[in-house]
Amino acid sequence: MNIKIKKLKDNAIIPTRGTVGSAGMDLYACIDNEITIAPNQLKIIPTGIAIALPSSDVAAFLYARSGLGVKHGICLSNGVGVVDSDYRGEICVGLCNVSNKPYTISKNERIAQMVIAPVVMAEFTEAEELDETLRGEGGFGSTGKK
């Protein structure tokens, strides 16, 4: 799949894959000065890029980088970011610091990963009843601890 990408700033870095088998492409902080995220603070970090997804059958999903999350407590503030197929603005990454130490984002630092994935454009039909299943209405933890 070919996806058009536009640098919105001269110092933007086109996303890259860490290895041939990487599902996600690294997104880079496109900033002029370091940004420090204090504990329990949220910051929006620009990437300096915009993309044109080819159809509504796909979207770009932004995920945390495991190293930032596990080692430093830096996560996406919205859990997973979604870039819709018709969005043409700058991709920015909302980060939060869930650790007890400040963390400083450097210029050109890898801050998140972007995965292009299929999207099912579902339609909903209101129903009075839903079909029965073995699980039924069993929610969180209903299948027990293994």
Side-chain angles (χ1 to χ4, degrees), residues 74-143:
I74 302 301
C75 310
L76 268 67
S77 57
N78 56 340
V80 174
V82 178
V83 180
D84 296 314
S85 64
D86 56 352
Y87 178 67
R88 295 296 182 267
E90 181 174 15
I91 295 175
C92 293
V93 180
L95 294 178
C96 63
N97 184 347
V98 298
S99 78
N100 60 0
K101 298 177 188 171
Y103 183 82
T104 300
I105 303 290
S106 301
K107 179 181 177 180
N108 300 332
E109 182 173 347
R110 295 176 296 158
I111 55 168
Q113 55 183 324
M114 179 172 65
V115 174
I116 309 301
V119 173
V120 176
M121 300 304 279
E123 293 184 23
F124 293 93
T125 303
E126 187 175 356
E128 295 292 323
E129 298 292 328
L130 301 177
D131 61 317
E132 297 287 328
T133 67
L134 185 60
R135 181 176 181 173
E137 294 182 19
F140 297 104
S142 66
T143 58

Side-chain angles (χ1 to χ4, degrees), residues 65-78:
R65 294 194 66 244
S66 57
L68 284 179
V70 173
K71 294 177 185 174
H72 304 288
I74 302 301
C75 310
L76 268 67
S77 57
N78 56 340

